[in-house]
Amino acid sequence: MGLLTPDFGLFFWTLLAFLLVLFVLGKFAWKPILNSLSERENSIAKSLATAEQARKEMASLKSENESLLQKAREERSLMLKEAKDNAEKLISDATAKAKSEYERIVADAQSAITQQKQAALTEVKNQVGNLVIEVAEKVLRKQLANKGEQESLIKDLVDNVKLN
């Protein structure tokens, strides 16, 4: 029962020990503990501010990246369109050039064919004319060798002229 009702001496010495420990702790321990708690609190606040700043920077960088990606997509699309347009232009130019070259070659070939045809016809006419003259000359020599045949030929020619 002595523990439940402490004596005045026990109470006094306990109080004195407590106050002595409180004084020693207050003199030597409370300031370093409070300083370390204050430093820890400042460190946590600084870390939170740094983390918030880093989050904002990440959001800004993400926004910039999205903007750059969109710009790159637009540039890629523009470059592809320009390349396609250039390819189509080259193809149409090449097609037009080939068509004009084809038409020129065909026109030259037709002109050459016409010239060769005319030259061949002229040659054939000349040869036929020469043959006709030779045949006519031979026929006339044979027919004109005799005086009676000459008169008969002239008479036939006159009769034919009247009929036409």
Side-chain angles (χ1 to χ4, degrees), residues 4 8 37 40-41 46 63 66 84 89 96 99 102 104 111 130 144 152 161 164:
L4 291 179
F8 177 75
L37 284 176
R40 174 123 171 103
E41 184 180 336
K46 192 183 252 186
S63 174
E66 289 296 323
K84 185 178 178 183
K89 185 177 184 276
K99 186 176 180 180
Y102 165 78
R104 185 190 62 78
S111 174
N130 287 336
L144 294 178
S152 167
V161 171
N164 287 336

mmCIF file of all heavy atoms in Angstrom, residues 4 8 37 40-41 46 63 66 84 89 96 99 102 104 111 130 144 152 161 164:
data_model
loop_
_atom_site.group_PDB
_atom_site.id
_atom_site.type_symbol
_atom_site.label_atom_id
_atom_site.label_comp_id
_atom_site.label_asym_id
_atom_site.label_seq_id
_atom_site.Cartn_x
_atom_site.Cartn_y
_atom_site.Cartn_z
ATOM 1 N N LEU A 4 0.795 3.225 -3.369
ATOM 2 C CA LEU A 4 -0.325 4.036 -3.800
ATOM 3 C C LEU A 4 -0.343 5.388 -3.092
ATOM 4 O O LEU A 4 -0.837 6.365 -3.645
ATOM 5 C CB LEU A 4 -1.632 3.310 -3.520
ATOM 6 C CG LEU A 4 -1.840 2.073 -4.399
ATOM 7 C CD1 LEU A 4 -3.148 1.403 -4.022
ATOM 8 C CD2 LEU A 4 -1.873 2.436 -5.861
ATOM 9 N N PHE A 8 6.086 12.044 1.526
ATOM 10 C CA PHE A 8 6.489 13.367 1.106
ATOM 11 C C PHE A 8 7.922 13.339 0.606
ATOM 12 O O PHE A 8 8.254 13.995 -0.384
ATOM 13 C CB PHE A 8 6.326 14.359 2.281
ATOM 14 C CG PHE A 8 6.793 15.730 1.916
ATOM 15 C CD1 PHE A 8 6.029 16.538 1.104
ATOM 16 C CD2 PHE A 8 8.020 16.207 2.378
ATOM 17 C CE1 PHE A 8 6.468 17.788 0.784
ATOM 18 C CE2 PHE A 8 8.446 17.472 2.032
ATOM 19 C CZ PHE A 8 7.672 18.273 1.243
ATOM 20 N N LEU A 37 14.266 19.553 -35.544
ATOM 21 C CA LEU A 37 12.883 19.478 -36.019
ATOM 22 C C LEU A 37 12.594 20.622 -36.989
ATOM 23 O O LEU A 37 11.936 20.433 -38.019
ATOM 24 C CB LEU A 37 11.903 19.515 -34.842
ATOM 25 C CG LEU A 37 11.776 18.219 -34.038
ATOM 26 C CD1 LEU A 37 10.831 18.439 -32.848
ATOM 27 C CD2 LEU A 37 11.261 17.094 -34.905
ATOM 28 N N ARG A 40 14.352 19.875 -40.159
ATOM 29 C CA ARG A 40 13.619 18.801 -40.854
ATOM 30 C C ARG A 40 12.366 19.380 -41.498
ATOM 31 O O ARG A 40 12.039 19.045 -42.643
ATOM 32 C CB ARG A 40 13.271 17.701 -39.869
ATOM 33 C CG ARG A 40 12.404 16.619 -40.441
ATOM 34 C CD ARG A 40 13.066 15.264 -40.285
ATOM 35 N NE ARG A 40 12.145 14.204 -40.641
ATOM 36 C CZ ARG A 40 12.197 13.562 -41.785
ATOM 37 N NH1 ARG A 40 13.127 13.856 -42.659
ATOM 38 N NH2 ARG A 40 11.348 12.605 -42.033
ATOM 39 N N GLU A 41 11.658 20.234 -40.773
ATOM 40 C CA GLU A 41 10.451 20.855 -41.320
ATOM 41 C C GLU A 41 10.800 21.719 -42.530
ATOM 42 O O GLU A 41 10.124 21.662 -43.563
ATOM 43 C CB GLU A 41 9.785 21.715 -40.230
ATOM 44 C CG GLU A 41 8.474 22.324 -40.666
ATOM 45 C CD GLU A 41 7.859 23.171 -39.563
ATOM 46 O OE1 GLU A 41 8.153 22.951 -38.370
ATOM 47 O OE2 GLU A 41 7.084 24.085 -39.916
ATOM 48 N N LYS A 46 11.064 22.515 -48.254
ATOM 49 C CA LYS A 46 11.888 22.786 -49.441
ATOM 50 C C LYS A 46 11.732 21.661 -50.469
ATOM 51 O O LYS A 46 11.608 21.908 -51.670
ATOM 52 C CB LYS A 46 13.344 22.928 -49.010
ATOM 53 C CG LYS A 46 14.242 23.491 -50.077
ATOM 54 C CD LYS A 46 15.676 23.514 -49.572
ATOM 55 C CE LYS A 46 16.088 24.926 -49.284
ATOM 56 N NZ LYS A 46 17.515 25.027 -48.935
ATOM 57 N N SER A 63 4.008 19.958 -72.175
ATOM 58 C CA SER A 63 3.294 20.848 -73.087
ATOM 59 C C SER A 63 4.182 21.230 -74.268
ATOM 60 O O SER A 63 3.744 21.222 -75.415
ATOM 61 C CB SER A 63 2.842 22.094 -72.338
ATOM 62 O OG SER A 63 2.277 23.026 -73.222
ATOM 63 N N GLU A 66 4.546 18.230 -76.553
ATOM 64 C CA GLU A 66 3.344 18.062 -77.369
ATOM 65 C C GLU A 66 3.318 19.083 -78.502
ATOM 66 O O GLU A 66 2.990 18.758 -79.638
ATOM 67 C CB GLU A 66 2.080 18.188 -76.505
ATOM 68 C CG GLU A 66 1.852 17.042 -75.569
ATOM 69 C CD GLU A 66 1.614 15.736 -76.279
ATOM 70 O OE1 GLU A 66 0.948 15.739 -77.341
ATOM 71 O OE2 GLU A 66 2.117 14.702 -75.793
ATOM 72 N N LYS A 84 4.997 14.686 -102.695
ATOM 73 C CA LYS A 84 3.981 14.085 -103.564
ATOM 74 C C LYS A 84 3.665 15.015 -104.736
ATOM 75 O O LYS A 84 3.566 14.558 -105.880
ATOM 76 C CB LYS A 84 2.717 13.805 -102.746
ATOM 77 C CG LYS A 84 1.647 13.087 -103.513
ATOM 78 C CD LYS A 84 0.447 12.801 -102.621
ATOM 79 C CE LYS A 84 -0.642 12.117 -103.428
ATOM 80 N NZ LYS A 84 -1.838 11.898 -102.612
ATOM 81 N N LYS A 89 4.221 16.370 -110.359
ATOM 82 C CA LYS A 89 4.649 17.338 -111.378
ATOM 83 C C LYS A 89 5.688 16.720 -112.299
ATOM 84 O O LYS A 89 5.622 16.877 -113.521
ATOM 85 C CB LYS A 89 5.210 18.589 -110.700
ATOM 86 C CG LYS A 89 5.572 19.696 -111.680
ATOM 87 C CD LYS A 89 6.061 20.939 -110.939
ATOM 88 C CE LYS A 89 6.336 22.065 -111.895
ATOM 89 N NZ LYS A 89 7.625 22.012 -112.503
ATOM 90 N N ALA A 96 4.115 14.651 -120.474
ATOM 91 C CA ALA A 96 3.903 15.652 -121.524
ATOM 92 C C ALA A 96 5.088 15.677 -122.489
ATOM 93 O O ALA A 96 4.911 15.747 -123.712
ATOM 94 C CB ALA A 96 3.697 17.034 -120.900
ATOM 95 N N LYS A 99 4.951 12.607 -124.606
ATOM 96 C CA LYS A 99 3.876 12.712 -125.595
ATOM 97 C C LYS A 99 4.286 13.630 -126.743
ATOM 98 O O LYS A 99 4.073 13.307 -127.915
ATOM 99 C CB LYS A 99 2.606 13.227 -124.920
ATOM 100 C CG LYS A 99 1.410 13.231 -125.840
ATOM 101 C CD LYS A 99 0.159 13.657 -125.103
ATOM 102 C CE LYS A 99 -1.038 13.650 -126.046
ATOM 103 N NZ LYS A 99 -2.255 14.048 -125.369
ATOM 104 N N TYR A 102 6.800 11.867 -128.787
ATOM 105 C CA TYR A 102 6.123 10.842 -129.580
ATOM 106 C C TYR A 102 5.454 11.480 -130.796
ATOM 107 O O TYR A 102 5.585 10.977 -131.920
ATOM 108 C CB TYR A 102 5.084 10.123 -128.708
ATOM 109 C CG TYR A 102 4.084 9.312 -129.481
ATOM 110 C CD1 TYR A 102 4.418 8.066 -129.987
ATOM 111 C CD2 TYR A 102 2.795 9.793 -129.716
ATOM 112 C CE1 TYR A 102 3.500 7.316 -130.706
ATOM 113 C CE2 TYR A 102 1.871 9.066 -130.431
ATOM 114 C CZ TYR A 102 2.225 7.820 -130.926
ATOM 115 O OH TYR A 102 1.321 7.087 -131.638
ATOM 116 N N ARG A 104 6.210 14.316 -132.220
ATOM 117 C CA ARG A 104 7.231 14.803 -133.141
ATOM 118 C C ARG A 104 7.804 13.647 -133.960
ATOM 119 O O ARG A 104 7.957 13.751 -135.184
ATOM 120 C CB ARG A 104 8.349 15.501 -132.370
ATOM 121 C CG ARG A 104 9.400 16.143 -133.282
ATOM 122 C CD ARG A 104 10.613 16.619 -132.524
ATOM 123 N NE ARG A 104 11.341 15.569 -131.853
ATOM 124 C CZ ARG A 104 12.184 14.722 -132.441
ATOM 125 N NH1 ARG A 104 12.381 14.785 -133.734
ATOM 126 N NH2 ARG A 104 12.815 13.797 -131.750
ATOM 127 N N SER A 111 6.151 12.277 -142.293
ATOM 128 C CA SER A 111 6.727 13.136 -143.325
ATOM 129 C C SER A 111 7.733 12.341 -144.165
ATOM 130 O O SER A 111 7.729 12.435 -145.403
ATOM 131 C CB SER A 111 7.411 14.333 -142.670
ATOM 132 O OG SER A 111 8.093 15.105 -143.616
ATOM 133 N N ASN A 130 9.218 5.912 -169.219
ATOM 134 C CA ASN A 130 10.312 5.452 -170.079
ATOM 135 C C ASN A 130 9.926 4.168 -170.805
ATOM 136 O O ASN A 130 10.214 4.013 -172.006
ATOM 137 C CB ASN A 130 11.585 5.227 -169.264
ATOM 138 C CG ASN A 130 12.224 6.544 -168.827
ATOM 139 O OD1 ASN A 130 12.003 7.582 -169.464
ATOM 140 N ND2 ASN A 130 13.002 6.503 -167.763
ATOM 141 N N LEU A 144 5.350 1.783 -188.568
ATOM 142 C CA LEU A 144 5.616 2.793 -189.578
ATOM 143 C C LEU A 144 6.581 2.300 -190.659
ATOM 144 O O LEU A 144 6.839 2.983 -191.622
ATOM 145 C CB LEU A 144 6.164 4.066 -188.919
ATOM 146 C CG LEU A 144 5.188 4.809 -187.996
ATOM 147 C CD1 LEU A 144 5.871 6.014 -187.389
ATOM 148 C CD2 LEU A 144 3.937 5.210 -188.735
ATOM 149 N N SER A 152 -3.416 2.929 -192.361
ATOM 150 C CA SER A 152 -4.416 2.192 -191.592
ATOM 151 C C SER A 152 -4.407 2.671 -190.132
ATOM 152 O O SER A 152 -5.463 2.870 -189.514
ATOM 153 C CB SER A 152 -4.099 0.704 -191.673
ATOM 154 O OG SER A 152 -4.825 -0.009 -190.742
ATOM 155 N N VAL A 161 -10.850 9.002 -182.328
ATOM 156 C CA VAL A 161 -10.977 10.373 -181.848
ATOM 157 C C VAL A 161 -12.425 10.825 -182.039
ATOM 158 O O VAL A 161 -12.995 11.479 -181.175
ATOM 159 C CB VAL A 161 -9.992 11.287 -182.554
ATOM 160 C CG1 VAL A 161 -10.277 12.749 -182.216
ATOM 161 C CG2 VAL A 161 -8.582 10.936 -182.185
ATOM 162 N N ASN A 164 -14.798 9.356 -179.254
ATOM 163 C CA ASN A 164 -14.677 9.885 -177.895
ATOM 164 C C ASN A 164 -15.347 11.217 -177.861
ATOM 165 O O ASN A 164 -15.772 11.863 -177.080
ATOM 166 C CB ASN A 164 -13.200 10.034 -177.490
ATOM 167 C CG ASN A 164 -12.595 8.670 -177.233
ATOM 168 O OD1 ASN A 164 -13.292 7.737 -176.934
ATOM 169 N ND2 ASN A 164 -11.281 8.574 -177.364
#
